[in-house]
Amino acid sequence: MTTPDRRSFLKGAAGAAAAFAFQPDLSATPRPLNAPLRVGLIGAGRQGRAIMGELGKFDDVTLGAVCDSDGRRLSGAKRRAPEATLYSDHKAMLESEAQLDAVIIATPTHQHRSLCEDALDAGKHVYCEAPLAHTLEDAKAIARAARAASGKFQTGMAGRANPVYSLARSFVRTGAIRDTLSLRSQFKKKTSWRTPTSDPARDKFLNWRLDPEISLGLVGEVGTHHFDVLHWFTSQYPTSVRGSGEILIWKDGRKVADTVHCEFQFPGGVRSQWEASLGTSFEGEYSLLAGTMGTVKLAGTHAWMFKEADATTFEWEVYATRQQFHQDEGIILIAGATELAAQGKLKEGIGLPHPPLYYALENFFVAVGEDGEPCCSAEEGLRAAAVAIRAAEAIRTGAEVAIPETDFSLE
Amino acid sequence: MLVRLALHAMGTRFELVLEGDDDGPGAEAHLRAAGEVALAEVELVDAKLSLFRRDSLLSHIQRNAADQPVRVDPDTFALFELCAQVCEATGGSFDPTVAPLMRAYKLHDDKATTPLVTLEEAREQVGWKGRVELLADPCRVAFTAPGTALDLGGIAKGYALDLAIEVLRDAGITRALLHGGTSTIAAIGQPRGREGWPIALGSGPNAPRVLLRDDCLAVSAPGARSVQHEGRRVDHVLDPRQGLPVQGALVAATLSRCAAEADAWSTALLVNPDPKGLPPHMESLIGMTEAEGERVPTHWHHRPRITRTSPSGFCDIPQSRQATPLQTV
């Protein structure tokens, strides 16, 4: 694959140096908003709790209401956000909380559609966690509702708001790794992926990720985020997928695979491999884009560039910090490097000052406050979900499955 | 049925043993799932309070709290309140504002997000009172003096254990033992057929023992980790009051229902081996020596609890070497 619209960018070393110099504003403090925002959160589980933690950093944002149908989670939310009004029903929240500007949805995936539609209908801006949905029908319905609505809609795929990913992307798109040869992502974590409860009724609710009727499994809950990063970096979408999924470790009666391999075919011959396992934590979670002049590695708050020996030397490399990975040496990509280097504080910039989720939320709040475009639209959410849905189908059937363009279309 | 889990966090290893009363189908999966959620809580605390991660809440506080009060969640605020309380009760023997001093002594490596200053400057920057302000409604923390930085290493493991234990109890777990780096330990119930979880403080036949049941134990010892500083060995516990390596006890252990409290007090008693001010629901055991260079305690000071809230207690303290308590309340 030739680097997309590479010619429209500055070429080679000069371009990459320019990318290095012109960074987005990376101050560690949130950007002030035009007006304070009042938000409601639907879903107070794992992700909802992480969102509550990050919301506390925004002085201009108030968490006015929290909704969860599970009483125990709601009481946990009461402790963490004592100032918020609690609801067990989202319709009651939307009716009672006229002052809410925006709603953040962090519920089980299969509930997203009705929640998004109701929140958009109520005139709220919506941030919805990924994957948008577990069926194409639901994902398209959400994208259509977002298109028709007056409010902003952001899909919670945090890669697009991640400053260090933006920096890496600017390198890739200005030709720093030249022609892309392959893409690879993985998620490895040794965990049963099960939420404990001794109540069978609650078990069905809490362990929805292990129910194949309503969950795409790893490829949906984790893969969607990786797929979107590759879509964003390459401006391309895969055309077909092969996959396999097994239950190798957690033979506890579940029907959702704990170890998954997928291979996606991109236009132009490049393939993308995706691997996930709940039986090992080795090397954790990352994505790689390998090119003829270098490879970029993306891992949440960190990113690196590994250069080929014959790659052009950048002027700024003399200042760069490097990290050894066995036989490979990676240049640590530092967001805001020029400014930090000028202050002699380059090393203090290694790793982002906030988790990626913070930047996704900040991007949403700024888009709402300044009438801008959220970094990750409902359409991109639909595309990543569609790719995951086709991958789940490939895993289930064992056959190569096409990903037609009509999957991405709202017409 | 026993299930064991482990996690690398906070620069050490956490281990968890869970015992179930039920051997039926799904019992093991339930125990494991509960253990994983408990260890995930430890991971969250690490991500939040690490001094070595730029994206932690603590680093966010260090960057901003001198300019304006920083909002924190009520759980973190409660931890800061406990820090203030133990700091006050111990006369500063436990004091998280010791961070600049730890960095100056190179007890923190370059990954620490606190700035490196000279020892003299660092000594001027220690002292919770007058430097850290806690503001309620909403919960906020402010630094009121320049150079202030917090190292929660003396309390974070205990705090993480408290949250993990709460998660385990919520999941219906009735028998469990969880430790962080073997120095902070929390127990739920007792193993089947026994009175408590037996734990030895060190090795050898003369090592004191603890029977732990629905209780937490913290043990501090200065020699657990050390660095070379200007040709001298500096142990990893510093006296925040003096700005010098600790000269107090060889080992200090405490028992409490709250692991964070036990953790903080064990550090404080190592710095100043005087249990005056120790809350009546806590128990302490301090190992000391008068011999120069000796690193094994030759006598023990034991202060039993005044208010007993748990069947746990220190036992098998070597009688021949047992000394009079330093202080009784």
Coordinates of all heavy atoms in Angstrom, one line a residue, chain B residues 79 82-87 89-90 92-96 151-159 162 183-184 217-220 237 240 252-254 256 258-272 278-279 282:
Chain B
L79 N -8.2 9.0 51.5 CA -6.8 8.6 51.7 C -6.0 9.8 52.2 O -5.2 9.6 53.1 CB -6.3 8.0 50.4 CG -4.8 7.7 50.5 CD1 -4.5 6.5 51.4 CD2 -4.3 7.4 49.1
L82 N -6.6 10.5 55.7 CA -5.9 9.5 56.6 C -4.5 9.9 56.7 O -3.9 9.8 57.8 CB -6.1 8.1 56.1 CG -5.4 7.0 56.9 CD1 -6.0 6.9 58.3 CD2 -5.6 5.6 56.2
C83 N -3.9 10.3 55.6 CA -2.4 10.7 55.6 C -2.3 11.9 56.6 O -1.3 11.9 57.5 CB -2.0 11.2 54.2 SG -1.8 9.9 53.0
A84 N -3.2 12.9 56.5 CA -3.1 14.0 57.4 C -3.2 13.6 58.9 O -2.5 14.1 59.8 CB -4.2 15.0 57.0
Q85 N -4.1 12.7 59.1 CA -4.4 12.2 60.5 C -3.2 11.5 61.1 O -2.8 11.8 62.2 CB -5.6 11.3 60.4 CG -6.3 10.9 61.7 CD -7.3 9.8 61.4 OE1 -8.1 9.9 60.4 NE2 -7.4 8.8 62.2
V86 N -2.6 10.6 60.3 CA -1.5 9.8 60.8 C -0.2 10.7 60.9 O 0.5 10.6 61.9 CB -1.2 8.6 59.9 CG1 0.0 7.8 60.5 CG2 -2.4 7.7 59.8
C87 N -0.1 11.6 60.0 CA 1.0 12.6 60.0 C 0.9 13.4 61.4 O 2.0 13.5 62.0 CB 0.9 13.5 58.8 SG 2.3 14.5 58.5
A89 N -0.8 12.5 64.2 CA -0.7 11.7 65.4 C 0.8 11.2 65.6 O 1.1 10.9 66.7 CB -1.6 10.5 65.2
T90 N 1.5 11.1 64.5 CA 2.9 10.6 64.7 C 3.9 11.7 64.8 O 5.1 11.5 64.7 CB 3.3 9.7 63.5 OG1 3.2 10.5 62.3 CG2 2.4 8.5 63.4
G92 N 4.8 13.7 62.5 CA 5.5 13.8 61.3 C 6.5 12.6 61.0 O 7.2 12.7 60.0
S93 N 6.4 11.6 61.8 CA 7.2 10.4 61.5 C 6.8 9.7 60.2 O 7.5 9.1 59.5 CB 7.2 9.4 62.7 OG 7.7 10.0 63.8
F94 N 5.5 9.8 60.0 CA 4.9 9.4 58.7 C 4.5 10.7 58.0 O 3.8 11.5 58.6 CB 3.7 8.5 58.9 CG 2.9 8.4 57.6 CD1 3.3 7.4 56.6 CD2 1.8 9.1 57.3 CE1 2.6 7.3 55.5 CE2 1.1 9.0 56.1 CZ 1.5 8.1 55.2
D95 N 5.1 10.9 56.8 CA 4.8 12.2 56.1 C 5.0 12.0 54.6 O 6.2 12.0 54.2 CB 5.6 13.3 56.7 CG 5.1 14.7 56.2 OD1 4.5 14.7 55.1 OD2 5.4 15.7 56.9
P96 N 3.9 11.9 53.8 CA 4.1 11.7 52.4 C 4.9 12.9 51.7 O 5.3 12.7 50.6 CB 2.7 11.6 51.9 CG 1.9 11.2 53.0 CD 2.5 11.9 54.2
D151 N 4.9 11.4 48.2 CA 5.2 10.0 47.9 C 4.3 9.2 48.8 O 4.4 9.2 50.1 CB 6.7 9.8 48.3 CG 7.1 8.3 48.2 OD1 6.2 7.5 47.8 OD2 8.2 8.0 48.5
L152 N 3.4 8.4 48.2 CA 2.4 7.7 49.0 C 2.9 6.2 49.2 O 2.1 5.3 49.6 CB 1.0 7.7 48.3 CG 0.5 9.1 48.2 CD1 -0.7 9.2 47.2 CD2 0.1 9.7 49.6
G153 N 4.2 6.0 49.0 CA 4.7 4.6 49.1 C 4.5 4.0 50.5 O 4.5 2.8 50.6
G154 N 4.4 4.8 51.5 CA 4.2 4.3 52.9 C 2.8 3.9 53.2 O 2.5 3.5 54.3
I155 N 1.9 4.2 52.3 CA 0.5 3.9 52.6 C -0.3 3.3 51.4 O -1.4 2.7 51.6 CB -0.2 5.2 53.0 CG1 -1.6 5.0 53.7 CG2 -0.4 6.2 51.9 CD1 -2.1 6.2 54.5
A156 N 0.2 3.5 50.2 CA -0.6 3.1 49.0 C -0.9 1.6 48.9 O -2.0 1.2 48.5 CB 0.1 3.5 47.7
K157 N 0.1 0.8 49.3 CA -0.2 -0.7 49.2 C -1.3 -1.1 50.2 O -2.2 -1.8 49.8 CB 1.1 -1.5 49.6 CG 2.1 -1.6 48.5 CD 3.1 -2.7 48.7 CE 3.9 -2.5 50.0 NZ 5.3 -2.6 50.0
G158 N -1.3 -0.5 51.4 CA -2.3 -0.8 52.3 C -3.7 -0.3 51.8 O -4.7 -1.0 51.9
Y159 N -3.7 0.9 51.2 CA -4.9 1.5 50.7 C -5.5 0.6 49.6 O -6.7 0.3 49.5 CB -4.6 2.9 50.1 CG -5.7 3.6 49.4 CD1 -6.8 4.0 50.0 CD2 -5.6 3.8 48.0 CE1 -7.8 4.6 49.3 CE2 -6.6 4.5 47.3 CZ -7.7 4.9 48.0 OH -8.7 5.5 47.3
D162 N -7.1 -2.4 51.1 CA -8.4 -2.1 51.7 C -9.5 -2.2 50.6 O -10.5 -2.7 50.8 CB -8.4 -0.7 52.3 CG -7.7 -0.7 53.7 OD1 -7.7 -1.8 54.4 OD2 -7.1 0.3 54.0
S183 N 5.0 -7.2 52.7 CA 5.1 -6.3 53.8 C 3.7 -5.8 54.3 O 3.6 -5.2 55.4 CB 6.0 -5.1 53.4 OG 5.5 -4.5 52.3
T184 N 2.7 -5.9 53.4 CA 1.4 -5.4 53.8 C 0.4 -6.6 53.5 O 0.4 -7.1 52.4 CB 0.9 -4.2 53.1 OG1 2.0 -3.2 53.2 CG2 -0.3 -3.6 53.7
L217 N -2.0 -6.6 58.5 CA -0.7 -6.5 59.1 C 0.2 -5.8 58.2 O 0.2 -6.0 57.0 CB -0.1 -8.0 59.3 CG 1.3 -8.1 59.6 CD1 1.6 -7.7 61.1 CD2 1.8 -9.5 59.4
A218 N 1.0 -4.8 58.8 CA 2.0 -4.1 57.9 C 3.3 -4.3 58.7 O 3.4 -4.2 59.9 CB 1.6 -2.7 57.8
V219 N 4.3 -4.5 57.9 CA 5.7 -4.7 58.5 C 6.6 -3.7 57.7 O 6.6 -3.8 56.5 CB 6.2 -6.1 58.3 CG1 7.5 -6.3 59.1 CG2 5.2 -7.1 58.8
S220 N 7.4 -2.9 58.4 CA 8.4 -2.1 57.8 C 9.7 -2.4 58.3 O 9.9 -2.6 59.5 CB 8.1 -0.6 58.0 OG 6.9 -0.2 57.4
V237 N 14.0 3.9 54.0 CA 13.1 4.7 54.8 C 13.8 5.9 55.3 O 14.9 5.8 55.9 CB 12.5 3.9 55.9 CG1 11.5 4.7 56.8 CG2 11.7 2.7 55.4
P240 N 11.3 11.9 58.0 CA 10.9 13.1 57.4 C 11.2 14.3 58.3 O 11.3 15.5 57.8 CB 9.4 13.0 57.2 CG 9.1 11.5 57.4 CD 10.1 11.0 58.2
A252 N 9.3 -2.7 62.4 CA 8.1 -2.3 63.1 C 6.9 -2.9 62.4 O 6.8 -2.9 61.1 CB 8.0 -0.8 63.0
A253 N 6.0 -3.6 63.2 CA 4.9 -4.2 62.6 C 3.6 -3.7 63.3 O 3.7 -3.4 64.5 CB 5.0 -5.7 62.8
T254 N 2.5 -3.6 62.6 CA 1.3 -3.1 63.2 C 0.1 -3.9 62.7 O 0.1 -4.4 61.6 CB 1.0 -1.6 62.8 OG1 1.1 -1.5 61.4 CG2 2.0 -0.7 63.4
S256 N -4.2 -3.7 62.3 CA -5.3 -2.8 62.3 C -6.4 -3.4 61.4 O -6.1 -4.2 60.5 CB -5.0 -1.4 61.8 OG -6.1 -0.7 61.5
C258 N -7.7 -1.7 59.2 CA -7.5 -0.9 58.0 C -6.1 -1.0 57.6 O -5.2 -0.7 58.3 CB -7.9 0.6 58.3 SG -7.3 1.7 57.1
A259 N -5.9 -1.6 56.4 CA -4.5 -1.9 55.9 C -3.7 -0.6 55.7 O -2.5 -0.5 55.9 CB -4.5 -2.7 54.7
A260 N -4.4 0.5 55.2 CA -3.7 1.7 54.9 C -3.2 2.3 56.3 O -2.1 2.8 56.3 CB -4.7 2.7 54.3
E261 N -4.0 2.2 57.3 CA -3.6 2.7 58.6 C -2.4 1.9 59.1 O -1.5 2.5 59.7 CB -4.8 2.6 59.5 CG -4.6 3.3 60.9 CD -5.8 3.1 61.8 OE1 -6.4 2.0 61.9 OE2 -6.2 4.1 62.4
A262 N -2.5 0.6 59.0 CA -1.4 -0.3 59.5 C -0.1 0.1 58.7 O 0.9 0.2 59.3 CB -1.8 -1.7 59.3
D263 N -0.3 0.3 57.4 CA 0.9 0.6 56.6 C 1.6 1.9 57.0 O 2.8 1.9 57.3 CB 0.4 0.7 55.1 CG 1.4 0.3 54.1 OD1 2.4 -0.2 54.5 OD2 1.0 0.3 52.9
A264 N 0.8 2.9 57.2 CA 1.3 4.2 57.5 C 2.0 4.2 58.9 O 3.1 4.7 59.2 CB 0.2 5.3 57.5
W265 N 1.3 3.5 59.9 CA 1.8 3.5 61.2 C 3.1 2.6 61.3 O 4.0 2.9 62.1 CB 0.8 2.9 62.2 CG 0.0 4.1 62.8 CD1 -1.3 4.5 62.4 CD2 0.3 4.9 63.9 NE1 -1.7 5.5 63.2 CE2 -0.7 5.8 64.1 CE3 1.5 5.0 64.7 CZ2 -0.7 6.8 65.1 CZ3 1.5 6.0 65.7 CH2 0.4 6.9 65.9
S266 N 3.2 1.6 60.5 CA 4.4 0.7 60.6 C 5.6 1.6 60.1 O 6.7 1.5 60.7 CB 4.3 -0.6 59.8 OG 4.3 -0.3 58.4
T267 N 5.4 2.4 59.1 CA 6.5 3.3 58.7 C 6.8 4.3 59.8 O 8.0 4.5 60.1 CB 6.0 4.1 57.4 OG1 5.5 3.2 56.4 CG2 7.1 4.9 56.8
A268 N 5.8 4.9 60.4 CA 6.0 5.9 61.4 C 6.8 5.3 62.6 O 7.7 5.9 63.2 CB 4.7 6.4 61.9
L269 N 6.4 4.0 63.0 CA 7.1 3.4 64.2 C 8.5 3.0 63.9 O 9.3 2.8 64.8 CB 6.3 2.2 64.7 CG 4.9 2.6 65.3 CD1 4.2 1.3 65.7 CD2 5.1 3.5 66.5
L270 N 8.8 2.8 62.6 CA 10.2 2.5 62.2 C 11.1 3.8 62.4 O 12.2 3.7 62.9 CB 10.2 2.1 60.8 CG 11.5 1.4 60.3 CD1 11.6 0.0 60.9 CD2 11.5 1.2 58.8
V271 N 10.5 4.9 62.1 CA 11.2 6.2 62.2 C 11.3 6.6 63.6 O 12.4 6.9 64.1 CB 10.4 7.3 61.4 CG1 11.0 8.6 61.6 CG2 10.4 6.9 59.9
N272 N 10.2 6.5 64.4 CA 10.2 6.8 65.8 C 9.5 5.7 66.6 O 8.3 5.6 66.6 CB 9.5 8.1 66.0 CG 9.4 8.5 67.5 OD1 10.2 8.0 68.3 ND2 8.4 9.4 67.8
L278 N -0.6 5.8 69.1 CA -1.2 4.7 68.3 C -2.6 4.5 68.7 O -2.9 4.4 69.9 CB -0.4 3.4 68.6 CG -0.7 2.2 67.7 CD1 -0.1 2.3 66.3 CD2 -0.2 0.9 68.4
P279 N -3.5 4.5 67.8 CA -5.0 4.3 68.1 C -5.2 3.1 68.9 O -4.5 2.1 68.7 CB -5.7 4.3 66.8 CG -4.8 4.9 65.8 CD -3.4 4.6 66.3
M282 N -5.3 -0.5 67.6 CA -4.2 -1.0 66.8 C -3.2 -1.7 67.8 O -3.2 -1.4 69.0 CB -3.5 0.1 66.0 CG -4.3 0.5 64.9 SD -3.3 1.8 63.9 CE -2.0 0.8 63.2

